[in-house]
Amino acid sequence: MIDLYGISYGIGKWFMGIIAAILDFFGQWIQPFQGLADWLMRWETLNVLAITIQVVIVFLFVSIINLFIIMWIERKMYARLHTRRGIMLPLPFRKVQKGTGFLQNLADGMKLIQKENITPKNADKWMYHIAPAIIATTSILVFVAIPLSETFVVANLEGGLIFVFAILAIAPFAVLVGGWASNNKFTLIGGMRGAAQMLSYEIPLILAAVGVILLAGSLNLVDIVIAQQQTIWFGIPLILGLLVFLVAIVAEVERLPFDIPEAEAELVEGWATEYGGMRFGLIFVAKWVRTYAGAALITILFLGGWSGPILPGEIWFIIKSYIVFIIIVWTTWSLPRTRMDQVLEIGWKRLLPAALISIAIAAALKWVGWF
Amino acid sequence: MKGTEVAQAVKEKFKDLVSNVSFPRDRVVRLYVPRESILPFCKFLRDELSCEHLSLVTAVDWPENFECVYHITSYLEEYMVELHVKIPKDDPKVDSLSPVWKGADFAEWEAYDMMGITFVGHPDLRRILLPEDYLYYPLRKDFKG
Amino acid sequence: MTDIWINMGPQHPMTHGLFNLRVRVDGEIIVDANPLLGYLHRGVEKLCERRDYTQIIPLMDRLCYVSSLTWSHAYCLAAEELMEIEIPERAKYLRVIALELQRIASHLMWLAAFGPDVGMFTAFLYAMREREYILDMLQMMSGARMNQNYPRIGGVRNDVPPEFTDKCLKVMDYFDGKRKQYERLFDDSAIFLMRTQGVGYLSKEDAMDLGVTGQTLRGSNVPIDMRTHDPYEVYDQLDWEVQVEKDGDCYSRYKVRMNEMWESTKIIRGALKKMPKGPVRVKPPKRPKGEAFRRTEDARGEALIYIVGQGETSPYRVKVRSPVFANLRAAPVILKGNTYADLLAIMGSIDVCIGETDK
């Protein structure tokens, strides 16, 4: 079976083969080159190269292609909800100002990169600069463990779900650090709110996934999808868990109606107020990546992952995750913002019991022997 | 309540303190009181004649004296009292109405800021629209900009 | 956590206009609030003393850029009282139509600001979409979309074009049809109710004591509307009701404004039906003497203009009562004890317009 690793290994071997041949050719005159060529073609070297290529492929998928698509979807989608057209500019040098505007995000990104990197005078410089980096890296790191299909996966970890939750849980720390280090009242309040909210929503998030773990009997994300292929989508018996997970993931990625940490009306831009240029861009982009990670997790845990007829698994996965993403966008732009105490109340008083009930349902189903 | 009835009631209580009573409209009464008796007068208006609302405090700079004009509304009886108080130029002081109506202090702030009339008993008299260290009172006629 | 002062403004997304609301918070709870004004002070009252009676009308238009017509109208009404002139019947009806159109436009602008305040950006574009049609109507009447400069002392500047009635009725039909959409967007949203119901309570006694007027007062169960309390133009001949809500919270104030918008369409329909033919303007005298005041119901509350004339071409003193100025006095009282996030909903429900506050 050809998998992502196999493809990467093949690409690496082909590429290294060319280099090794060239080196071999020069090795006729310069002896050490022959040894170098031999080393390049060894399995250990090629293995490292294959893993690197794998990571690069996933990184490209997550942060370039996929990111542009979801940003475009969101911007077009909420523009239509607002009864306007949204981004339309095709290319800067075209005279006619109509089109899909797909490259608008690229232009925005380029603008952000050109901006000066401003550090506030009394900010804690190291902490201030490291916070967006932590958020961006951890957000992309989630996709290491998320399989697009049985074969399209970087690391098929035994405890994949644990890994994903662990990585998602680093962000509140960075939010707090970023908010504190900016040395601004708005960012401080935003950081405090962000940390409190993310911590309190991690619990229903994980508890909602426990039901799935019970039914699948595994923490491995590939195994969870295979278990759904053998029975039914877990979203059908665990509809309550699905809803809890959806709400918790929206809160986890700080989207409306739960974007209290960066409630722009009262806290300007929340904990990200002082960031400018590409640092702000990283935070902004990381939010989208995290939203997509949430949509991908929902797809894997509740909607049968890549299972589907005719089309290849990867395509099915992307279709499903985009639909979930669109649902998240839809709720985002049609609801007002909740208040801090209400958010915590919803988290602890509504979502937590609902998640526990979902676990009980899963346990009962398992006990009856249907799964 | 008609303006004439209001004037009747006020005259019974305050006798000759009230002067120059006129009726610009049916339910509006315009009258003058001396500045010493403004506080008891307004208390009487609020408690006995149900004037719940102080609409406006205006200060006018006449050539010989200042004048404070209070527009006081009764929601219940649907009439309005336009109260004029003459204030001498060399001593621009008048009792604050904030003990009577809580909302009076904002209107008085503005009169102080623009015309320089000191309201005695005001909880926190300071510049509100103009800078704290501004030296002039711009709505006075001798202020030429 | 110790208390901290937070400056909300003059450059802050919360402030709809230039003012600084200093808020003292203990964690998330507001302990104290203090509005600082004066960033937009233009000395309108002083300027009035140097201008002709007619020249003041455009100046009054600029008092509030959201509902400029109500201000120039309030001034004209007071000036007519001073000059003791009666305006033609048709001009009265035209004024009522223009005023109510302006009131709808102003309330829509408020809604467009209130939506993002509670985090619903979609509301902004919805309200702006409807506002376009209302402004089109105002443009048809007066030739301008903002700062119409339409009322004159002694009537209005010009008559409306003949096709105005049909078009205006069409717009009113369209606007009435949109009511359901707004109700579904706001009133059916559980989160919106969570954010506004029971938040920012202002009791009836406090509201009257603090000199609060307009929708804030009517939201606190005091049925006072200057259009019926001290009738001007032809409001007493038209069929409409004063909108009152009982609870005194942000939702009541929101509800009063929303109901008022559709009550205004009723007034406009009635006025269009009853409007007689005839002249729209009489010539005012040049040098009036005496003093006069008139109260009108501005889009935000009770507007009172007091004019003193001394037989000159320009008035001796003009005083403007800004409703928002008095309503801002109530803001610290309402804010105390609420959470920091509620500040948005509360300040949004008061509907602050700094142009008229700072004068």
Side-chain angles (χ1 to χ4, degrees):
Chain A
M1 194 164 59
I2 301 166
D3 56 4
L4 187 60
Y5 177 79
I7 295 169
S8 309
Y9 191 85
I11 295 170
K13 194 172 179 183
W14 172 77
F15 186 64
M16 279 302 157
I18 295 170
I19 294 174
I22 294 166
L23 286 175
D24 243 4
F25 176 71
F26 285 108
Q28 291 171 357
W29 303 288
I30 307 163
Q31 278 299 321
F33 273 21
Q34 256 173 6
L36 190 59
D38 286 345
W39 179 78
L40 280 180
M41 290 304 284
R42 279 170 68 183
W43 179 82
E44 289 87 345
T45 324
L46 288 178
N47 187 29
V48 170
L49 191 66
I51 290 170
T52 314
I53 292 173
Q54 229 179 339
V55 169
V56 167
I57 289 173
V58 169
F59 182 78
L60 280 178
F61 167 69
V62 169
S63 68
I64 310 292
I65 305 162
N66 192 29
L67 186 64
F68 278 125
I69 295 171
I70 59 174
M71 281 161 104
W72 181 78
I73 288 178
E74 160 133 26
R75 290 178 75 165
K76 272 299 199 193
M77 173 94 191
Y78 78 69
R80 293 314 296 164
L81 284 173
H82 290 169
T83 62
R84 60 190 172 94
R85 297 256 163 219
I87 43 177
M88 286 175 80
L89 196 64
L91 286 168
F93 45 80
R94 280 267 293 275
K95 283 247 171 71
V96 184
Q97 303 284 303
K98 69 176 185 188
T100 53
F102 189 75
L103 291 175
Q104 178 69 50
N105 287 312
L106 189 67
D108 288 351
M110 278 160 75
K111 187 201 82 175
L112 284 177
I113 286 175
Q114 289 169 24
K115 296 251 172 190
E116 186 188 351
N117 176 25
I118 296 169
T119 315
K121 196 177 167 194
N122 291 327
D124 191 336
K125 284 194 185 57
W126 273 98
M127 298 290 213
Y128 175 76
H129 284 140
I130 213 163
I134 292 175
I135 290 175
T137 47
T138 53
S139 303
I140 293 170
L141 199 59
V142 172
F143 286 88
V144 166
I146 289 182
L148 263 67
S149 75
E150 240 165 296
T151 49
F152 195 101
V153 55
V154 179
N156 189 3
L157 301 169
E158 265 322 303
L161 198 55
I162 299 278
F163 176 79
V164 168
F165 284 139
I167 293 294
L168 279 177
I170 295 175
F173 165 70
V175 167
L176 191 55
V177 164
W180 183 276
S182 303
N183 198 10
N184 177 323
K185 285 166 188 168
F186 296 125
T187 62
L188 177 62
I189 293 176
M192 292 290 182
R193 285 180 176 188
Q197 177 187 333
M198 284 175 164
L199 286 177
S200 67
Y201 272 74
E202 216 106 87
I203 293 156
L205 190 72
I206 292 170
L207 284 179
V210 166
V212 174
I213 298 167
L214 273 179
L215 292 188
S218 170
L219 283 168
N220 188 325
L221 291 170
V222 176
D223 287 351
I224 287 173
V225 176
I226 290 171
Q228 291 182 68
Q229 280 170 341
Q230 284 158 359
T231 55
I232 53 166
W233 293 2
F234 291 154
I236 294 163
L238 295 181
I239 182 78
L240 194 61
L242 171 60
L243 292 176
V244 171
F245 201 88
L246 189 63
V247 175
I249 211 84
V250 171
E252 178 75 21
V253 299
E254 295 177 9
R255 260 172 179 281
L256 272 167
F258 301 116
D259 75 334
I260 296 108
E262 47 194 85
E264 69 232 5
E266 68 221 57
L267 294 181
V268 190
E269 194 50 52
W271 58 274
T273 304
E274 292 286 357
Y275 288 101
M278 201 54 210
R279 275 161 224 284
F280 175 73
L282 277 181
I283 292 166
F284 220 64
V285 160
K287 214 170 117 177
W288 263 305
V289 172
R290 285 163 69 80
T291 315
Y292 183 69
L297 267 182
I298 289 172
T299 312
I300 289 171
L301 295 178
F302 295 99
L303 301 180
W306 51 84
S307 50
I310 307 165
L311 292 172
E314 288 86 351
I315 305 288
W316 268 114
F317 182 89
I318 288 173
I319 290 173
K320 283 179 190 173
S321 56
Y322 280 3
I323 289 173
V324 175
F325 180 78
I326 284 172
I327 290 171
I328 293 176
V329 170
W330 198 345
T331 51
T332 296
W333 293 100
S334 46
L335 290 175
R337 186 180 297 120
T338 44
R339 216 165 55 207
M340 192 63 215
D341 54 325
Q342 290 164 345
V343 166
L344 296 183
E345 215 171 273
I346 293 168
W348 292 107
K349 288 191 185 164
R350 305 280 193 285
L351 293 187
L352 195 62
L356 290 172
I357 292 169
S358 161
I359 292 176
I361 292 169
L365 289 172
K366 193 85 180 168
W367 182 64
V368 171
W370 286 0
F371 283 92
Chain B
M1 206 186 275
K2 285 227 186 312
T4 43
E5 297 170 36
V6 180
Q8 200 78 44
V10 169
K11 270 196 176 152
E12 267 173 31
K13 169 89 178 162
F14 286 92
K15 306 271 169 3
D16 49 340
L17 285 177
V18 182
S19 56
N20 289 4
V21 183
S22 59
F23 306 99
R25 283 207 302 278
D26 207 19
R27 290 182 174 276
V28 180
V29 54
R30 175 180 295 154
L31 41 81
Y32 284 71
V33 292
R35 71 167 163 164
E36 291 77 28
S37 57
I38 175 152
L39 208 53
F41 186 81
C42 286
K43 274 204 178 109
F44 171 74
L45 280 184
R46 188 198 60 185
D47 296 336
E48 309 292 325
L49 295 176
S50 79
C51 285
E52 300 97 343
H53 177 55
L54 175 69
S55 285
L56 184 62
V57 179
T58 317
V60 187
D61 180 16
W62 292 105
E64 60 274 9
N65 58 335
F66 287 122
E67 194 174 276
C68 257
V69 186
Y70 299 87
H71 289 93
I72 301 159
T73 312
S74 166
Y75 285 148
L76 194 68
E77 306 282 350
E78 299 200 350
Y79 69 88
M80 200 158 183
V81 178
E82 191 180 301
L83 184 64
H84 291 243
V85 179
K86 285 205 164 71
I87 300 161
K89 280 227 163 176
D90 50 349
D91 181 31
K93 278 195 185 124
V94 69
D95 284 337
S96 169
L97 291 186
S98 44
V100 187
W101 293 285
K102 236 191 281 175
D105 54 352
F106 244 58
E108 285 172 354
W109 253 332
E110 210 191 330
Y112 166 74
D113 199 2
M114 292 294 154
M115 202 63 95
I117 290 167
T118 310
F119 290 91
V120 181
H122 191 286
D124 175 24
L125 201 63
R126 59 179 162 83
R127 294 279 190 171
I128 180 162
L129 293 177
L130 298 171
E132 286 284 332
D133 53 352
Y134 200 67
L135 293 176
Y136 311 104
Y137 299 108
L139 277 182
R140 287 188 179 179
K141 289 285 172 187
D142 54 4
F143 177 79
K144 296 293 177 199
Chain C
M1 195 170 166
T2 48
D3 299 0
I4 48 174
W5 280 99
I6 297 178
N7 277 308
M8 298 189 84
Q11 298 290 334
H12 189 280
M14 184 278 293
T15 55
H16 312 304
L18 281 173
F19 82 109
N20 185 359
L21 187 68
R22 297 191 73 218
V23 188
R24 192 169 165 201
V25 291
D26 177 11
E28 289 267 336
I29 306 292
I30 296 171
V31 187
D32 201 358
N34 186 10
L36 301 180
L37 304 168
Y39 292 91
L40 211 59
H41 179 64
R42 292 151 294 173
V44 168
E45 288 171 7
K46 187 77 179 171
L47 286 171
C48 287
E49 295 173 10
R50 302 289 166 87
R51 271 165 179 63
D52 282 359
Y53 280 97
T54 321
Q55 283 174 334
I56 295 171
I57 300 169
L59 203 60
M60 287 292 163
D61 251 354
R62 271 90 182 148
L63 268 182
C64 177
Y65 36 84
V66 182
S67 84
S68 51
L69 219 152
T70 52
W71 280 104
S72 44
H73 167 258
Y75 166 74
C76 287
L77 207 62
E80 281 153 13
E81 177 89 7
L82 177 67
M83 297 169 183
E84 293 170 344
I85 51 174
E86 184 70 19
I87 69 166
E89 197 72 0
R90 186 174 173 83
K92 284 185 183 173
Y93 278 95
L94 283 175
R95 277 185 182 184
V96 166
I97 293 167
L99 283 175
E100 294 308 311
L101 283 171
Q102 182 70 81
R103 193 182 312 276
I104 296 175
S106 169
H107 282 1
L108 281 171
M109 188 71 216
W110 158 79
L111 190 66
F114 188 55
D117 273 349
V118 293
M120 190 154 28
F121 191 71
T122 312
F124 173 78
L125 289 131
Y126 276 36
M128 282 307 194
R129 180 187 63 193
E130 263 73 82
R131 188 166 172 266
E132 279 306 301
Y133 293 102
I134 307 291
L135 290 186
D136 281 352
M137 283 300 105
L138 281 171
Q139 190 180 12
M140 208 168 173
M141 286 185 100
S142 63
R145 288 160 56 80
M146 288 178 77
N147 298 333
Q148 286 89 352
N149 193 11
Y150 185 56
R152 285 286 182 278
I153 302 169
V156 293
R157 190 182 60 200
N158 55 289
D159 207 341
V160 288
E163 70 269 23
F164 176 78
T165 311
D166 291 340
K167 288 215 168 146
C168 194
L169 282 175
K170 212 181 265 178
V171 168
M172 289 303 119
D173 285 341
Y174 167 80
F175 190 58
D176 280 348
K178 287 287 174 196
R179 182 170 197 169
K180 192 139 186 85
Q181 195 174 20
Y182 284 100
E183 275 170 2
R184 271 165 57 192
L185 189 64
F186 288 102
D187 299 50
D188 292 359
S189 166
I191 297 178
F192 180 75
L193 298 184
M194 257 159 64
R195 281 303 301 279
T196 50
Q197 276 182 341
V199 168
Y201 176 69
L202 182 66
S203 69
K204 192 175 171 176
E205 290 73 30
D206 269 355
M208 291 207 279
D209 207 16
L210 289 167
V212 165
T213 51
Q215 290 84 1
T216 319
L217 185 66
R218 291 199 284 282
S220 297
N221 199 12
V222 185
I224 295 297
D225 190 316
M226 287 304 148
R227 288 174 283 178
T228 56
H229 182 74
D230 184 8
Y232 54 98
E233 311 299 5
V234 286
Y235 279 111
D236 46 350
Q237 296 165 28
L238 297 167
D239 177 34
W240 63 284
E241 277 162 21
V242 176
Q243 299 300 319
V244 193
E245 292 287 326
K246 288 198 170 56
D247 299 335
D249 53 7
C250 289
Y251 185 70
S252 303
R253 297 193 272 275
Y254 152 81
K255 201 75 198 155
V256 168
R257 281 202 178 81
M258 293 300 270
N259 289 339
E260 250 181 41
M261 278 201 270
W262 281 282
E263 205 63 33
S264 290
T265 65
K266 229 180 183 178
I267 299 176
I268 292 171
R269 280 169 200 278
L272 282 172
K273 205 191 271 173
K274 280 190 177 176
M275 188 160 60
K277 295 243 179 304
V280 293
R281 199 170 164 186
V282 293
K283 202 168 166 57
K286 270 267 187 303
R287 295 166 188 271
K289 195 168 185 323
E291 47 193 295
F293 72 92
R294 270 321 277 267
R295 293 178 288 173
T296 61
E297 185 73 20
D298 181 51
R300 288 169 179 75
E302 176 197 347
L304 193 153
I305 295 201
Y306 174 67
I307 309 182
V308 182
Q310 277 291 72
E312 303 286 322
T313 50
S314 48
Y316 189 75
R317 176 89 165 91
V318 175
K319 174 75 187 174
V320 180
R321 182 200 195 264
S322 153
V324 180
F325 190 70
N327 290 2
L328 268 180
R329 171 68 182 84
V333 179
I334 309 176
L335 283 173
K336 246 167 246 175
N338 281 296
T339 60
Y340 183 54
D342 283 336
L343 188 139
L344 281 306
I346 293 167
M347 293 311 288
S349 71
I350 289 177
D351 191 10
V352 180
C353 173
I354 291 305
E356 62 180 74
T357 310
D358 285 357
K359 295 190 255 304

